[in-house]
Structures are given as C-alpha cells and as structure tokens.
Amino acid sequence: MTQLVSLPVPTAVGSIDQYIQFANRVPVLSEQEERDCATRFHDDGDLDAARRLVLSHLRLVVAVARGYLGYGLPHADLIQEGNIGLMKAVKRFDPRRGVRLVSFAIHWIKAEIHEYILKNWRLVKVATTKAQRKLFFNLRSFKKDSNALSPDDVAAVAAQLGVKPEEVVEMETRLGGQDVPLDSGRDDDDDHFAPIAYLPDPGAEPAEVLEQAQQAHLATDGLRLALENLDERSRRIITARWLNEDGKSATLHELADEYGVSAERIRQIEAKAMKKMRGELATVM
C-alpha cells in the first residue's frame, strides 16, 4: 500500500478567499493514493481515508461552484452545497470500478448545487420537472443577448434539449420575470398599489354577504321565533340541552329527574321540538 502524505487539517478561515487558498494548497492525491484511500474507506470504514479524499477534491468544488456565480447567489453557499455533494460522492465511490473520483464526484457536486439554486434563486420555484431543470440550466447558454428568442431559436433549442417549444417559451418567461412582494409596505404613497390590493375579498361577494346575513338572521331572530313557538317544557329542554350560555349541556337523565319522567320521554320531546323548530326556521329563510 502506498505511503500517504500528510494532508493539512482545515481550520476556521475568515473569508471565502482564504478558504479558496486553503483548498488550492491541499495536495492532489495520485491515482494509487486515491485508490488506497477509497479502498480503506469502502472496505474498513476508515474515516481518515474519507477525509483525505474529501480534502484533496475541495479545489474541484471551488472550480465547479465558480461556474454558477451568474445566478446571483453567494459563492460561499455554492461551495458549501458542492461540498455536500462531494461527501455524498465519496460515500458512494467504489474504487474497483476503474474510474477516478473526480469523474464520479462531479455529478454529485453539480446535483447539490443545482438543487440549491432552484430552491433559492426565486421565492417561487421556477423548475420542478426534469425537463424544466434541463431548460433552466441550459437556456442561458443558447441566448446570444438579452432579447427574446425568435421562433426559429425556440425550435432549435427545443430540438437540441428534447423538450417542447412551448416549454422553452415558458421557461424563458420565468427566467425574465422577477419576484414581486404581495405587500410592498409603502403606506406613504396613495397612488401606489401592491398586488395584494387587487386580490378579491371573499367577504365582498354578494352571495357571500347574503349568506352571512341569512345566517345572522337565523342565529338571532329566527331562533328566537322558533323557541317562542314551543311549549314551556319543550323550550326548557332545548335550551338546557343546546343553548346553555355556560356551554354545559344538561343530560337526558338530569332533565328526566327534573320533570319526573323517563330519559326516553325527554328524548322524544326533544326530537319533536327540534323537528318543529326546523320547520319554523325554514319559513323565515
């Protein structure tokens, strides 16, 4: 087994530039050293070997992350997400397949960076399907300037990426748009209206207003009239069972003891009173 050189131990750094300098100072492992480390980690779970593999490929993450600076996200965050992808790659890397770790890891590094960009580039996700993701990360390279794609350009991009022309147009529109807050928070400008001002008020719908008025009528006047048309005992039973102000309902047995009848008789009186009240309420709707 090849004798491995000692790799530097990472320490806290004060800036992204210092981190990049550190990553570039870590020696690149030879093919044999890489195979030995990967074998030790794969077969024996040697974490020091895994650490060596990760540290020796930090410069790769920095280089890949630099290619995504055009999306306006912090370089440090892109590198951090890429490092997560690198660690996932090291965990899954099998040295017996005959490929170098750099070729295997770049897929995982890009996948984590892509996921981070899609989640954080806009408040609303611009790409969710596989075709949309492909468009998102490739459409910019096809555009020669900031002008909209012509129909011929749209057709060419769609054919090259294997998607529908309308999907190209939709993604171009999404990329050209901007997030707009629902409420701008500007109270000093009477002529300024945020999008939230144009949202419909459910309570302002005529049908909703009428329904609320009917419910309020039933809850007050309608219910009062329906109770007044009951005999005193039925009114007492309904009130004790359903309309107690303290929220505590009387039981059938309690009312049965009060009137000296069976609980079944109280239930029958209650059912008859409820039926009569429903009829009264139907007439006032």
Side-chain angles (χ1 to χ4, degrees):
M1 181 176 294
T2 303
Q3 181 67 33
L4 297 175
V5 298
S6 177
L7 296 180
V9 178
T11 57
V13 293
S15 69
I16 183 63
D17 292 332
Q18 288 178 312
Y19 173 85
I20 293 174
Q21 291 175 10
F22 162 78
N24 290 332
R25 286 200 305 268
V26 179
V28 177
L29 297 178
S30 67
E31 183 175 357
Q32 185 59 48
E33 289 173 335
E34 178 183 295
R35 186 181 302 110
D36 290 342
C37 283
T39 301
R40 286 165 51 194
F41 176 61
H42 187 273
D43 294 347
D44 306 324
D46 188 334
L47 295 182
D48 183 64
R51 181 181 67 85
R52 291 173 178 272
L53 291 172
V54 170
L55 290 176
S56 64
H57 287 80
L58 291 180
R59 66 179 68 199
L60 170 64
V61 176
V62 171
V64 173
R66 188 177 295 118
Y68 293 93
L69 290 176
Y71 292 97
L73 296 171
H75 193 191
D77 290 349
L78 294 171
I79 292 175
Q80 176 176 277
E81 297 301 319
N83 285 340
I84 294 175
L86 173 60
M87 288 185 284
K88 289 183 177 180
V90 169
K91 182 177 180 180
R92 294 166 173 80
F93 181 61
D94 186 352
R96 297 175 182 83
R97 293 186 179 273
V99 297
R100 294 297 300 268
L101 177 57
V102 62
S103 302
F104 181 76
I106 197 165
H107 163 77
W108 290 94
I109 295 169
K110 287 185 175 181
E112 289 298 319
I113 294 177
H114 285 184
E115 190 66 26
Y116 169 75
I117 292 174
L118 290 173
K119 286 181 178 179
N120 295 276
W121 191 62
R122 291 278 173 81
L123 289 176
V124 179
K125 262 195 172 184
V126 295
T128 53
T129 66
K130 184 177 181 180
Q132 289 174 344
R133 288 168 179 257
K134 182 189 296 185
L135 275 169
F136 180 85
F137 288 106
N138 289 280
L139 188 56
R140 287 187 174 188
S141 62
F142 287 99
K143 297 188 67 171
K144 302 178 180 63
D145 49 42
S146 59
N147 296 326
L149 293 173
S150 67
D152 291 340
D153 292 334
V154 170
V157 172
Q160 187 161 349
L161 295 180
V163 297
K164 298 177 181 178
E166 52 266 29
E167 292 177 328
V168 176
V169 174
E170 180 183 1
M171 182 55 65
E172 184 184 23
T173 302
R174 292 187 182 188
L175 290 174
Q178 294 182 345
D179 292 328
V180 179
L182 279 177
D183 189 355
S184 64
R186 293 170 56 182
D187 299 328
D188 56 344
D189 189 352
D190 294 336
D191 296 330
H192 179 79
F193 292 96
I196 197 171
Y198 299 96
L199 295 179
D201 180 5
E205 287 288 334
E208 183 73 18
V209 173
L210 179 60
E211 182 180 352
Q212 291 176 356
Q214 288 179 335
Q215 290 177 347
H217 176 62
L218 287 175
T220 54
D221 297 342
L223 183 58
R224 178 179 56 79
L225 291 173
L227 283 172
E228 288 179 354
N229 289 326
L230 297 177
D231 60 80
E232 183 178 348
R233 183 172 64 173
S234 298
R235 185 163 53 250
R236 160 65 182 153
I237 292 173
I238 293 298
T239 302
R241 290 278 289 158
W242 303 102
L243 301 175
N244 259 344
E245 293 183 358
D246 59 4
K248 184 178 180 182
S249 300
T251 66
L252 294 175
H253 291 285
E254 289 173 344
L255 292 170
D257 292 340
E258 179 179 337
Y259 287 101
V261 296
S262 66
E264 175 60 22
R265 178 57 182 157
I266 296 297
R267 188 196 64 77
Q268 292 172 356
I269 295 173
E270 177 188 20
K272 184 178 180 181
M274 293 290 285
K275 181 178 180 181
K276 184 175 181 179
M277 288 181 66
R278 281 194 291 269
E280 294 287 345
L281 291 173
T283 63
V284 299
M285 290 185 64

